[in-house]
Amino acid sequence: MNVIALFAGAALLALGATTSVHAADAPSSAATPAVDIVRLATDLPPPIARRAPAVVKVNFETSEVLGKLTGETTFKYWTFNGKVPGPMVRVRVGDTVEVTLHNPADSAMMHNVDFHAVTGPGGGGAATLAKPGETKSFSFKALKPGLYIYHCATPMVAQHIANGMYGAILVEPEEGLPKVDHEFYVIQGEIYTDLGLSEAGEANEDIQKLLDEQPEYYVMNGAFKALTGDKSLKVKVGETARIYFGVGGPNKTSSFHVIGEIFDDVYNLASLTSPPIKDVQTVTVAPGGATVVDLKFEVPGSYIMVDHALSRVDRGGAGIIEVTGPEDHAIFKTAPGVTTHMEH
């Protein structure tokens, strides 16, 4: 057993708590309005202009909220700062990152945060393990550039991740990254519920489905087809975009693909110090892993981001990039009257 599990187990015994809250024991949320937990793909910090290291303060507050999953279905999410994924943290290699995590007194669970970007025991998980009402902190030096996942690492770790406690930290190289017109933040995850797909009502976590690795939903940024409609990613013809894509998991590998486009540059395994791979159709991203992809849009239309394990699209694992601007019939042309719009 690792140090985080040992620490958590001792703390749970002291609290007299268990690692889950059953529906029968939890307070009724019938009168609680469901909130929008979806983090917009545009909700990320801008590129870092400074070239010297600095001290960067990162503040997390865990929150357990009833969120909108799809249609008339709600779900009790566990979150960092009220959204899924948690906020994208952006630092520069050489920065000292000071992390503070507050777990409110009304939480039912212990929570913490483990950064894959940390060089140190448990990624900060043991240092930030906070029971309800506690605030914990630690600091680390960002030594290696890359895009890294962070997540709650309180046992049962997979349960905390599946309920929404994951995000990404970007450690920029000293010289920064090549400029693009748009940057987007997209993290895939899974949700395991006792209600069937799109069944109305308040869905509860299903631990047996979690252990069996049989999710009811695949999500990008927290909810069923969250990055569609007014939450779609928007660019213009001729513009370049960079997608910071990760997989919180906890269990499934993603085959990330944009239908109708080819990635110009792929920073494989989110390594920002290796030369990017050119002209790639689909990128494999493991749970707890990430990638960075650049692409340019030459033709207008609706481009669907998918996990190319395509049955997952119907379980919510899809988003839309809306591209507007002039047609270029030298690149793409359809017969008169044929629409290029695809249902999503």
Coordinates of all heavy atoms in Angstrom, one line a residue, residues 228-320:
T228 N -21.0 21.1 -27.6 CA -21.8 21.3 -28.8 C -22.7 22.5 -28.6 O -22.8 23.1 -27.5 CB -22.6 20.0 -29.1 OG1 -23.5 19.8 -28.0 CG2 -21.7 18.8 -29.2
G229 N -23.5 22.8 -29.6 CA -24.4 23.9 -29.5 C -23.6 25.2 -29.2 O -22.6 25.5 -29.8
D230 N -24.2 26.0 -28.2 CA -23.5 27.2 -27.9 C -22.2 27.1 -27.2 O -21.5 28.1 -27.0 CB -24.5 28.1 -27.0 CG -24.8 27.5 -25.7 OD1 -24.4 26.4 -25.4 OD2 -25.6 28.2 -25.0
K231 N -21.8 25.8 -26.8 CA -20.5 25.6 -26.2 C -19.5 25.0 -27.2 O -18.4 24.6 -26.8 CB -20.7 24.7 -25.0 CG -21.4 25.3 -23.8 CD -21.5 24.3 -22.6 CE -22.0 24.9 -21.4 NZ -23.5 25.2 -21.5
S232 N -19.9 25.0 -28.5 CA -18.9 24.5 -29.5 C -17.7 25.4 -29.6 O -17.7 26.6 -29.2 CB -19.6 24.5 -30.9 OG -20.7 23.6 -30.9
L233 N -16.6 24.8 -30.0 CA -15.4 25.5 -30.3 C -15.6 26.3 -31.6 O -16.1 25.7 -32.6 CB -14.2 24.6 -30.4 CG -13.7 23.9 -29.1 CD1 -14.8 23.1 -28.4 CD2 -12.5 23.1 -29.4
K234 N -15.2 27.5 -31.7 CA -15.4 28.4 -32.8 C -14.1 29.0 -33.4 O -13.4 29.6 -32.7 CB -16.4 29.5 -32.5 CG -17.8 28.9 -32.1 CD -18.7 30.0 -31.6 CE -20.1 29.5 -31.3 NZ -20.2 28.5 -30.3
V235 N -13.9 28.7 -34.7 CA -12.8 29.3 -35.4 C -13.2 29.7 -36.8 O -14.4 29.5 -37.2 CB -11.6 28.3 -35.5 CG1 -11.2 27.8 -34.2 CG2 -12.0 27.1 -36.4
K236 N -12.3 30.4 -37.5 CA -12.6 30.9 -38.9 C -11.7 30.2 -39.9 O -10.6 29.8 -39.5 CB -12.4 32.4 -39.0 CG -13.5 33.2 -38.1 CD -13.2 34.7 -38.3 CE -14.2 35.5 -37.4 NZ -14.0 36.9 -37.5
V237 N -12.1 30.1 -41.1 CA -11.3 29.6 -42.2 C -9.9 30.3 -42.2 O -9.9 31.5 -42.1 CB -12.0 29.7 -43.5 CG1 -11.0 29.4 -44.7 CG2 -13.2 28.7 -43.6
G238 N -8.9 29.5 -42.3 CA -7.5 30.1 -42.4 C -6.9 30.2 -41.0 O -5.7 30.5 -40.9
E239 N -7.6 30.0 -39.9 CA -7.0 30.2 -38.6 C -6.5 28.8 -38.1 O -6.9 27.8 -38.5 CB -8.1 30.7 -37.6 CG -8.5 32.1 -37.9 CD -9.5 32.6 -36.8 OE1 -10.3 31.8 -36.3 OE2 -9.5 33.8 -36.5
T240 N -5.5 29.0 -37.2 CA -4.9 27.8 -36.6 C -5.4 27.6 -35.2 O -5.8 28.6 -34.5 CB -3.4 28.0 -36.5 OG1 -3.0 29.2 -35.9 CG2 -2.8 27.9 -37.9
A241 N -5.5 26.4 -34.7 CA -6.0 26.1 -33.4 C -5.1 25.1 -32.7 O -4.5 24.2 -33.4 CB -7.4 25.6 -33.4
R242 N -4.9 25.2 -31.4 CA -4.2 24.2 -30.6 C -5.1 23.6 -29.6 O -5.8 24.4 -28.9 CB -3.0 24.8 -30.0 CG -2.2 23.9 -29.0 CD -0.9 24.5 -28.6 NE 0.0 24.7 -29.7 CZ 0.7 25.8 -30.0 NH1 0.6 26.9 -29.1 NH2 1.5 25.9 -31.0
I243 N -5.2 22.3 -29.5 CA -6.1 21.7 -28.6 C -5.2 21.0 -27.5 O -4.4 20.1 -27.9 CB -7.0 20.6 -29.2 CG1 -7.9 21.3 -30.3 CG2 -7.9 20.0 -28.2 CD1 -8.8 20.4 -31.1
Y244 N -5.4 21.4 -26.3 CA -4.7 20.7 -25.2 C -5.7 19.6 -24.7 O -6.7 19.9 -24.1 CB -4.4 21.6 -24.0 CG -3.5 22.8 -24.4 CD1 -3.9 24.0 -24.7 CD2 -2.1 22.5 -24.5 CE1 -3.0 25.1 -25.0 CE2 -1.2 23.5 -24.9 CZ -1.7 24.8 -25.1 OH -0.8 25.8 -25.5
F245 N -5.4 18.4 -25.1 CA -6.4 17.3 -24.9 C -5.8 16.3 -23.9 O -4.6 15.8 -24.0 CB -6.7 16.6 -26.2 CG -7.6 15.4 -26.1 CD1 -9.0 15.7 -26.0 CD2 -7.2 14.1 -25.9 CE1 -9.9 14.6 -25.9 CE2 -8.1 13.1 -25.8 CZ -9.5 13.3 -25.8
G246 N -6.5 15.9 -22.9 CA -6.1 14.9 -21.9 C -7.2 13.9 -21.6 O -8.4 14.1 -22.0
V247 N -6.9 12.9 -20.9 CA -7.9 11.9 -20.5 C -7.7 11.7 -19.0 O -6.7 11.2 -18.4 CB -7.6 10.5 -21.2 CG1 -8.6 9.5 -20.6 CG2 -7.8 10.7 -22.7
G248 N -8.8 12.2 -18.3 CA -8.8 12.0 -16.8 C -9.1 10.5 -16.5 O -8.6 10.0 -15.5
G249 N -9.9 9.9 -17.3 CA -10.3 8.5 -17.2 C -11.5 8.3 -16.2 O -12.4 9.1 -16.3
P250 N -11.4 7.4 -15.3 CA -10.1 6.8 -14.8 C -9.6 5.5 -15.6 O -8.5 5.1 -15.3 CB -10.5 6.3 -13.4 CG -12.0 6.0 -13.5 CD -12.6 7.0 -14.5
N251 N -10.4 5.0 -16.5 CA -10.0 3.7 -17.0 C -9.8 3.6 -18.5 O -9.0 2.7 -18.9 CB -11.2 2.7 -16.7 CG -11.4 2.5 -15.2 OD1 -10.4 2.4 -14.5 ND2 -12.6 2.5 -14.8
K252 N -10.4 4.4 -19.3 CA -10.4 4.1 -20.8 C -9.4 5.0 -21.6 O -9.3 6.2 -21.4 CB -11.8 4.4 -21.3 CG -12.9 3.5 -20.6 CD -12.7 2.0 -20.9 CE -13.9 1.2 -20.4 NZ -13.8 -0.2 -20.7
T253 N -8.7 4.4 -22.5 CA -7.9 5.1 -23.5 C -8.7 5.7 -24.6 O -9.7 5.1 -25.0 CB -6.9 4.1 -24.1 OG1 -6.0 3.6 -23.0 CG2 -6.0 4.7 -25.2
S254 N -8.3 6.9 -25.0 CA -9.1 7.6 -26.0 C -8.3 7.6 -27.3 O -7.1 7.6 -27.3 CB -9.3 9.1 -25.6 OG -9.9 9.8 -26.7
S255 N -9.0 7.4 -28.4 CA -8.5 7.6 -29.8 C -9.0 8.9 -30.4 O -10.0 9.0 -31.1 CB -8.9 6.4 -30.7 OG -8.5 5.2 -30.1
F256 N -8.3 10.0 -30.0 CA -8.7 11.3 -30.3 C -8.6 11.6 -31.8 O -7.5 11.5 -32.4 CB -8.0 12.3 -29.5 CG -8.4 13.7 -29.6 CD1 -9.8 14.1 -29.4 CD2 -7.5 14.8 -30.0 CE1 -10.2 15.4 -29.6 CE2 -8.0 16.1 -30.1 CZ -9.3 16.4 -29.9
H257 N -9.7 12.1 -32.4 CA -9.8 12.3 -33.8 C -10.7 13.5 -34.1 O -11.7 13.6 -33.4 CB -10.3 11.0 -34.5 CG -10.6 11.1 -36.0 ND1 -9.5 11.1 -36.9 CD2 -11.7 11.3 -36.7 CE1 -10.1 11.2 -38.1 NE2 -11.4 11.3 -38.0
V258 N -10.5 14.3 -35.1 CA -11.4 15.3 -35.6 C -11.8 14.9 -37.0 O -11.0 14.9 -37.9 CB -10.7 16.7 -35.6 CG1 -11.7 17.7 -36.2 CG2 -10.3 17.1 -34.2
I259 N -13.1 14.6 -37.1 CA -13.7 14.1 -38.4 C -13.6 15.3 -39.4 O -14.1 16.3 -39.3 CB -15.1 13.7 -38.2 CG1 -15.2 12.5 -37.2 CG2 -15.7 13.3 -39.6 CD1 -16.6 12.0 -36.9
G260 N -12.9 15.0 -40.5 CA -12.8 16.0 -41.6 C -11.5 16.8 -41.5 O -11.4 17.7 -42.3
E261 N -10.6 16.5 -40.6 CA -9.4 17.3 -40.5 C -8.2 16.3 -40.2 O -8.4 15.2 -39.8 CB -9.5 18.3 -39.4 CG -9.8 19.7 -39.9 CD -8.7 20.3 -40.8 OE1 -7.6 19.7 -40.9 OE2 -9.0 21.3 -41.5
I262 N -7.0 16.9 -40.4 CA -5.8 16.1 -40.1 C -4.9 17.0 -39.2 O -4.8 18.2 -39.5 CB -5.0 15.8 -41.4 CG1 -5.9 14.9 -42.3 CG2 -3.7 15.1 -41.1 CD1 -5.4 14.9 -43.8
F263 N -4.4 16.5 -38.1 CA -3.6 17.3 -37.2 C -2.3 17.6 -38.0 O -1.5 16.7 -38.4 CB -3.3 16.5 -36.0 CG -4.5 16.1 -35.2 CD1 -4.7 14.8 -34.7 CD2 -5.5 17.0 -34.9 CE1 -5.8 14.4 -34.0 CE2 -6.6 16.7 -34.2 CZ -6.8 15.4 -33.7
D264 N -2.0 18.9 -38.0 CA -0.7 19.3 -38.7 C 0.5 18.9 -37.8 O 1.5 18.4 -38.3 CB -0.7 20.8 -38.9 CG -1.8 21.3 -39.8 OD1 -2.0 20.6 -40.8 OD2 -2.5 22.3 -39.5
D265 N 0.4 19.2 -36.5 CA 1.5 18.8 -35.6 C 0.9 18.2 -34.4 O -0.1 18.6 -33.8 CB 2.2 20.1 -35.1 CG 3.0 20.8 -36.2 OD1 3.8 20.1 -36.8 OD2 2.8 22.0 -36.5
V266 N 1.5 17.1 -33.9 CA 1.1 16.4 -32.7 C 2.3 16.3 -31.8 O 3.4 15.8 -32.2 CB 0.6 15.0 -33.0 CG1 0.4 14.2 -31.7 CG2 -0.7 15.0 -33.9
Y267 N 2.2 16.9 -30.6 CA 3.2 16.7 -29.6 C 2.9 15.4 -28.9 O 2.1 15.4 -27.9 CB 3.2 17.9 -28.7 CG 3.5 19.3 -29.3 CD1 2.6 20.0 -30.0 CD2 4.8 19.7 -29.3 CE1 2.9 21.2 -30.7 CE2 5.2 20.9 -30.0 CZ 4.2 21.6 -30.6 OH 4.5 22.8 -31.3
N268 N 3.5 14.4 -29.4 CA 3.2 13.0 -28.9 C 3.4 12.8 -27.4 O 4.4 13.3 -26.9 CB 4.0 12.0 -29.7 CG 3.4 10.6 -29.6 OD1 2.2 10.4 -29.5 ND2 4.3 9.6 -29.6
L269 N 2.4 12.2 -26.8 CA 2.4 12.0 -25.3 C 2.6 13.3 -24.6 O 3.0 13.3 -23.4 CB 3.5 11.0 -25.0 CG 3.5 9.6 -25.7 CD1 4.7 8.8 -25.3 CD2 2.2 8.9 -25.4
A270 N 2.3 14.4 -25.2 CA 2.3 15.8 -24.6 C 3.8 16.2 -24.3 O 4.0 17.0 -23.5 CB 1.4 15.9 -23.4
S271 N 4.7 15.6 -25.0 CA 6.1 16.0 -24.8 C 6.3 17.3 -25.6 O 6.1 17.3 -26.9 CB 7.1 14.9 -25.3 OG 8.4 15.4 -25.3
L272 N 6.7 18.4 -25.0 CA 6.9 19.7 -25.7 C 8.3 19.9 -26.0 O 8.7 21.0 -26.6 CB 6.3 20.8 -24.8 CG 4.9 20.7 -24.4 CD1 4.4 21.8 -23.5 CD2 4.0 20.6 -25.6
T273 N 9.2 19.0 -25.7 CA 10.6 19.2 -26.0 C 11.1 18.2 -27.1 O 12.2 18.4 -27.7 CB 11.5 18.9 -24.8 OG1 11.1 17.6 -24.2 CG2 11.3 20.0 -23.7
S274 N 10.2 17.3 -27.5 CA 10.5 16.5 -28.7 C 9.9 17.1 -29.9 O 8.9 17.8 -29.8 CB 9.8 15.1 -28.5 OG 10.3 14.5 -27.3
P275 N 10.5 16.9 -31.1 CA 9.9 17.5 -32.3 C 8.5 16.9 -32.5 O 8.2 15.7 -32.4 CB 10.8 17.0 -33.4 CG 12.1 16.6 -32.8 CD 11.7 16.1 -31.4
P276 N 7.5 17.8 -32.9 CA 6.1 17.3 -33.2 C 6.1 16.3 -34.4 O 6.9 16.5 -35.3 CB 5.3 18.5 -33.4 CG 6.3 19.6 -33.8 CD 7.6 19.2 -33.1
I277 N 5.2 15.4 -34.3 CA 4.9 14.5 -35.5 C 4.0 15.2 -36.4 O 3.0 15.9 -36.0 CB 4.2 13.2 -35.0 CG1 5.1 12.5 -33.9 CG2 4.0 12.2 -36.1 CD1 4.5 11.3 -33.2
K278 N 4.2 15.1 -37.7 CA 3.4 15.8 -38.7 C 2.3 14.9 -39.3 O 2.5 13.7 -39.5 CB 4.3 16.3 -39.9 CG 5.5 17.2 -39.4 CD 5.0 18.6 -39.1 CE 6.1 19.5 -38.9 NZ 5.6 20.9 -38.6
D279 N 1.2 15.6 -39.6 CA 0.1 15.0 -40.5 C -0.4 13.7 -39.9 O -0.1 12.6 -40.4 CB 0.7 14.7 -41.9 CG 1.2 16.0 -42.5 OD1 0.7 17.1 -42.2 OD2 2.2 15.9 -43.3
V280 N -1.1 13.8 -38.8 CA -1.6 12.6 -38.1 C -3.1 12.6 -38.0 O -3.8 13.7 -37.8 CB -1.1 12.6 -36.6 CG1 -1.6 11.5 -35.8 CG2 0.5 12.6 -36.6
Q281 N -3.8 11.4 -38.2 CA -5.2 11.4 -38.3 C -5.8 11.2 -36.9 O -6.9 11.8 -36.5 CB -5.7 10.2 -39.2 CG -5.2 8.9 -38.8 CD -5.5 7.8 -39.7 OE1 -6.6 7.7 -40.2 NE2 -4.5 6.9 -40.0
T282 N -5.3 10.3 -36.1 CA -5.8 9.9 -34.8 C -4.7 9.7 -33.8 O -3.7 9.2 -34.1 CB -6.6 8.6 -34.9 OG1 -7.7 8.8 -35.9 CG2 -7.3 8.2 -33.6
V283 N -5.0 10.2 -32.6 CA -3.9 10.1 -31.5 C -4.4 9.3 -30.4 O -5.5 9.5 -29.8 CB -3.6 11.6 -31.0 CG1 -2.4 11.5 -30.0 CG2 -3.2 12.5 -32.2
T284 N -3.6 8.4 -29.9 CA -4.0 7.5 -28.8 C -3.5 8.2 -27.5 O -2.4 8.6 -27.4 CB -3.3 6.1 -28.9 OG1 -3.7 5.5 -30.1 CG2 -3.6 5.3 -27.7
V285 N -4.5 8.4 -26.5 CA -4.2 9.1 -25.3 C -4.6 8.2 -24.1 O -5.8 7.8 -24.0 CB -4.8 10.4 -25.2 CG1 -4.4 11.1 -23.9 CG2 -4.5 11.3 -26.4
A286 N -3.7 7.7 -23.3 CA -4.0 6.8 -22.2 C -4.7 7.6 -21.1 O -4.5 8.8 -20.9 CB -2.7 6.2 -21.7
P287 N -5.4 6.9 -20.2 CA -6.0 7.5 -19.0 C -4.8 8.0 -18.1 O -3.8 7.3 -17.9 CB -6.8 6.4 -18.3 CG -6.3 5.1 -18.9 CD -5.8 5.4 -20.3
G288 N -4.9 9.3 -17.7 CA -3.8 9.9 -17.0 C -2.8 10.4 -17.9 O -1.7 10.8 -17.5
G289 N -3.1 10.5 -19.2 CA -2.1 11.0 -20.2 C -2.7 12.2 -21.0 O -3.9 12.6 -20.8
A290 N -1.9 12.7 -21.9 CA -2.4 13.9 -22.6 C -1.7 14.0 -24.0 O -0.7 13.3 -24.2 CB -2.1 15.2 -21.8
T291 N -2.1 14.9 -24.8 CA -1.5 15.2 -26.0 C -1.7 16.7 -26.3 O -2.6 17.3 -25.7 CB -2.0 14.3 -27.2 OG1 -1.1 14.6 -28.4 CG2 -3.4 14.7 -27.6
V292 N -1.0 17.2 -27.3 CA -1.2 18.6 -27.7 C -1.2 18.5 -29.3 O -0.3 18.0 -29.9 CB -0.1 19.6 -27.3 CG1 -0.4 21.0 -27.8 CG2 0.0 19.6 -25.7
V293 N -2.3 19.0 -29.9 CA -2.4 18.9 -31.4 C -2.6 20.3 -31.9 O -3.4 21.1 -31.3 CB -3.5 18.0 -31.8 CG1 -3.2 16.6 -31.3 CG2 -4.9 18.5 -31.3
D294 N -2.0 20.6 -33.1 CA -2.2 21.9 -33.8 C -2.9 21.5 -35.2 O -2.5 20.5 -35.8 CB -0.9 22.6 -34.1 CG -0.3 23.1 -32.8 OD1 -0.9 23.1 -31.8 OD2 0.9 23.6 -32.9
L295 N -3.8 22.3 -35.6 CA -4.5 22.1 -36.9 C -4.9 23.4 -37.5 O -5.2 24.4 -36.7 CB -5.6 21.1 -36.8 CG -6.8 21.4 -36.0 CD1 -7.9 20.3 -36.3 CD2 -6.6 21.3 -34.5
K296 N -5.0 23.5 -38.8 CA -5.5 24.7 -39.5 C -6.7 24.3 -40.3 O -6.8 23.2 -40.9 CB -4.4 25.2 -40.4 CG -4.8 26.5 -41.1 CD -3.6 27.0 -42.0 CE -4.0 28.3 -42.7 NZ -2.8 28.7 -43.6
F297 N -7.7 25.2 -40.4 CA -9.0 24.9 -41.0 C -9.0 25.7 -42.4 O -9.0 26.9 -42.4 CB -10.1 25.3 -40.1 CG -10.2 24.5 -38.8 CD1 -9.5 25.0 -37.7 CD2 -10.8 23.3 -38.8 CE1 -9.5 24.2 -36.5 CE2 -10.8 22.6 -37.6 CZ -10.2 23.0 -36.5
E298 N -9.2 24.9 -43.4 CA -9.2 25.5 -44.8 C -10.6 25.6 -45.3 O -10.9 26.3 -46.3 CB -8.4 24.6 -45.7 CG -6.9 24.7 -45.5 CD -6.4 23.7 -44.5 OE1 -7.2 22.9 -44.0 OE2 -5.2 23.7 -44.2
V299 N -11.6 24.8 -44.7 CA -12.9 24.7 -45.3 C -13.9 25.0 -44.2 O -13.8 24.4 -43.1 CB -13.1 23.4 -45.9 CG1 -14.5 23.2 -46.5 CG2 -12.1 23.1 -47.0
P300 N -15.0 25.7 -44.4 CA -16.0 25.9 -43.3 C -16.9 24.7 -43.1 O -16.9 23.8 -44.0 CB -16.9 27.1 -43.9 CG -16.8 27.0 -45.4 CD -15.3 26.5 -45.6
G301 N -17.5 24.6 -41.9 CA -18.4 23.5 -41.6 C -18.3 23.1 -40.2 O -17.6 23.8 -39.4
S302 N -19.0 22.0 -39.8 CA -19.0 21.5 -38.5 C -18.1 20.3 -38.4 O -18.3 19.3 -39.1 CB -20.4 21.0 -38.1 OG -21.3 22.2 -38.0
Y303 N -17.0 20.4 -37.6 CA -16.1 19.3 -37.5 C -16.3 18.7 -36.1 O -16.2 19.3 -35.1 CB -14.6 19.9 -37.6 CG -14.4 20.4 -39.0 CD1 -14.8 21.7 -39.4 CD2 -13.6 19.6 -39.9 CE1 -14.6 22.1 -40.7 CE2 -13.4 20.1 -41.2 CZ -13.9 21.4 -41.6 OH -13.6 21.8 -42.8
I304 N -16.4 17.3 -36.1 CA -16.8 16.6 -34.9 C -15.5 16.1 -34.2 O -14.8 15.3 -34.9 CB -17.8 15.5 -35.1 CG1 -19.0 16.1 -35.9 CG2 -18.2 14.9 -33.8 CD1 -20.0 15.0 -36.3
M305 N -15.3 16.5 -33.0 CA -14.2 15.8 -32.2 C -14.8 14.6 -31.6 O -15.8 14.6 -31.0 CB -13.7 16.8 -31.1 CG -13.2 18.1 -31.5 SD -12.5 19.0 -30.0 CE -14.1 19.3 -29.1
V306 N -14.0 13.5 -31.7 CA -14.6 12.2 -31.2 C -13.4 11.4 -30.6 O -12.2 11.6 -30.8 CB -15.2 11.3 -32.3 CG1 -16.4 12.0 -33.0 CG2 -14.2 11.0 -33.4
D307 N -13.8 10.5 -29.7 CA -13.0 9.3 -29.4 C -13.4 8.3 -30.5 O -14.6 7.9 -30.6 CB -13.4 8.8 -28.0 CG -12.6 7.6 -27.6 OD1 -12.1 6.9 -28.5 OD2 -12.6 7.2 -26.4
H308 N -12.4 7.9 -31.3 CA -12.8 7.1 -32.5 C -13.1 5.6 -32.1 O -13.3 4.8 -33.0 CB -11.7 7.1 -33.5 CG -12.2 7.0 -34.9 ND1 -12.7 5.9 -35.5 CD2 -12.3 8.0 -35.9 CE1 -13.1 6.1 -36.7 NE2 -12.9 7.4 -37.0
A309 N -13.2 5.3 -30.9 CA -14.0 4.1 -30.5 C -15.4 4.6 -30.5 O -16.0 5.0 -29.6 CB -13.6 3.7 -29.1
L310 N -16.0 4.5 -31.7 CA -17.1 5.4 -32.1 C -18.4 5.1 -31.4 O -19.3 6.0 -31.4 CB -17.3 5.3 -33.6 CG -16.2 6.1 -34.4 CD1 -16.4 5.9 -35.9 CD2 -16.3 7.6 -34.1
S311 N -18.6 4.0 -30.8 CA -19.9 3.8 -30.0 C -19.9 4.7 -28.8 O -21.0 5.0 -28.3 CB -20.0 2.3 -29.5 OG -18.9 2.0 -28.7
R312 N -18.7 5.2 -28.4 CA -18.7 6.2 -27.3 C -19.3 7.5 -27.7 O -19.6 8.3 -26.8 CB -17.2 6.3 -26.9 CG -16.6 5.0 -26.4 CD -15.1 5.2 -26.0 NE -14.6 3.9 -25.6 CZ -13.3 3.7 -25.2 NH1 -12.5 4.7 -25.2 NH2 -12.9 2.5 -24.8
V313 N -19.3 7.9 -29.0 CA -20.0 9.1 -29.4 C -21.4 9.1 -28.9 O -21.9 10.1 -28.4 CB -19.9 9.3 -30.9 CG1 -20.7 10.5 -31.4 CG2 -18.5 9.4 -31.4
D314 N -22.1 8.0 -29.1 CA -23.5 7.9 -28.7 C -23.7 7.9 -27.1 O -24.8 8.0 -26.7 CB -24.2 6.7 -29.3 CG -24.2 6.8 -30.8 OD1 -24.9 7.7 -31.3 OD2 -23.5 6.0 -31.5
R315 N -22.6 7.7 -26.4 CA -22.6 7.8 -25.0 C -22.1 9.2 -24.5 O -21.8 9.4 -23.3 CB -21.9 6.7 -24.3 CG -22.5 5.3 -24.5 CD -21.9 4.2 -23.7 NE -22.7 3.0 -23.8 CZ -23.7 2.7 -23.1 NH1 -24.1 3.5 -22.1 NH2 -24.4 1.5 -23.2
G316 N -22.0 10.1 -25.4 CA -21.7 11.5 -25.0 C -20.3 12.0 -25.4 O -20.0 13.1 -25.2
G317 N -19.4 11.1 -25.9 CA -18.0 11.5 -26.1 C -17.8 12.1 -27.4 O -17.2 11.6 -28.4
A318 N -18.3 13.4 -27.6 CA -18.1 14.1 -28.8 C -18.2 15.6 -28.5 O -18.9 16.0 -27.6 CB -19.1 13.7 -29.9
G319 N -17.6 16.4 -29.4 CA -17.7 17.9 -29.4 C -17.7 18.4 -30.8 O -17.3 17.7 -31.7
I320 N -17.9 19.7 -30.9 CA -18.0 20.3 -32.3 C -17.1 21.5 -32.4 O -17.0 22.3 -31.5 CB -19.5 20.8 -32.6 CG1 -20.4 19.6 -32.6 CG2 -19.5 21.5 -33.9 CD1 -20.2 18.6 -33.7

